Amino acid sequence: MSLTVFGAPLSPFVRKVRLCLLEKGLDYQLEIVMPFTPPEWYLQLNPLGRIPAMRDGDLCLADSSVICQYLEESYEQTARLYGSDAVERAQIRWLEKYADYELAPLTTFGVFRNRVLKPSSGHPCNEESVQSALTQKLPPHFDYLEGQLGPKPYFVGDQLSMADIAFTCQLINMEHGGELIDANRWPALAAHFSKMKALPSVQSVLPGEQRTTAKLIEMGKKATQPS
């Protein structure tokens, strides 16, 4: 086995790479590397210290989008996740970037980090930041994405793409943080998310993440109990 992914399962960017590999039917191993305090050897793979990174034989790459596009171009006989022509590829890359850069600061670092990660390490949740993300900052993004999806089953073209996967990875972290997208306000996005969660690839990683999240939440409760 030559493909190794380095990172932590609850990272939406690690999840994105894992789902890409699973949809392409590529075997890999996951080596746990925690963000913020990576071991010294990991900085040889990614001097920025961020996750994920990936090794394919002698090649080492960092950044989830770079990794996924490499997999698309290098493993041509696998499922295509970046469209069938230049227009679709551009649209998919735009929506992938949109999810990574616009949703992640809110769904993952706004909701999930405050609700799950900070309490588990003994730090208080900034609920004001959570509510700001949910009520002020996320709705315009969801409005835009609802319009982009419309009545279509997928964001771009007639099959699953990295645009769908990137969006789903961010909503999973929001759900881990105890929040679901409002199906009354954004029915297309809510239906799309439900369909995506039912994919075998997602179902293969989600139960383990849910167990880990439950443990972290329990740790947070114990950490905030008066001694």
Side-chain angles (χ1 to χ4, degrees):
M1 180 184 296
S2 64
L3 289 168
T4 302
V5 177
F6 301 90
L10 293 179
S11 160
F13 307 109
V14 173
R15 184 186 303 119
K16 187 173 73 166
V17 170
R18 295 180 74 193
L19 293 179
C20 178
L21 287 160
L22 288 165
E23 287 295 331
K24 287 180 170 294
L26 296 171
D27 290 332
Y28 73 97
Q29 64 181 22
L30 176 66
E31 186 164 335
I32 301 298
V33 172
M34 301 305 293
F36 311 120
T37 56
E40 188 64 30
W41 62 261
Y42 183 72
L43 299 178
Q44 301 302 312
L45 300 180
N46 182 359
L48 301 178
R50 298 170 186 162
I51 56 173
M54 188 190 76
R55 179 184 288 128
D56 185 4
D58 294 329
L59 176 69
C60 294
L61 294 171
D63 184 88
S64 63
S65 294
V66 171
I67 292 168
C68 291
Q69 290 177 32
Y70 163 78
L71 294 170
E72 179 83 353
E73 295 173 7
S74 296
Y75 294 88
E76 295 182 351
Q77 303 307 312
T78 61
R80 311 311 289 164
L81 296 173
Y82 281 93
S84 58
D85 57 33
V87 171
E88 288 189 354
R89 284 191 290 274
Q91 292 173 326
I92 290 165
R93 285 171 177 149
W94 159 243
L95 290 169
E96 179 185 8
K97 182 180 178 69
Y98 195 97
D100 289 354
Y101 283 80
E102 304 303 324
L103 296 188
L106 304 171
T107 56
T108 295
F109 298 102
V111 178
F112 173 72
R113 184 167 180 265
N114 270 296
R115 288 274 182 81
V116 178
L117 297 184
K118 289 175 69 175
S120 71
S121 59
H123 300 287
C125 167
N126 184 342
E127 189 62 26
E128 183 178 348
S129 178
V130 172
Q131 292 306 316
S132 175
L134 293 172
T135 63
Q136 299 175 34
K137 297 177 181 178
L138 277 170
H141 295 310
F142 289 156
D143 288 342
Y144 170 73
L145 292 168
E146 180 86 0
Q148 290 295 301
L149 181 61
K152 306 188 303 293
Y154 302 103
F155 276 106
V156 179
D158 58 0
Q159 64 184 35
L160 178 74
S161 77
M162 288 307 301
D164 305 293
I165 291 172
F167 170 74
T168 299
C169 285
Q170 294 303 328
L171 269 108
I172 286 174
N173 271 51
M174 192 174 85
E175 185 175 55
H176 286 337
E179 299 293 339
L180 286 170
I181 194 165
D182 186 343
N184 292 319
R185 185 168 179 180
W186 301 288
L189 293 182
H192 176 274
F193 182 50
S194 294
K195 179 178 66 178
M196 290 292 293
K197 282 202 301 178
L199 291 174
S201 59
V202 178
Q203 282 300 308
S204 72
V205 302
L206 198 54
E209 289 191 22
Q210 291 168 334
R211 289 191 294 270
T212 301
T213 300
K215 290 178 182 177
L216 290 172
I217 291 172
E218 186 62 28
M219 287 171 57
K221 290 178 180 178
K222 291 179 179 178
T224 56
Q225 287 177 351
S227 56

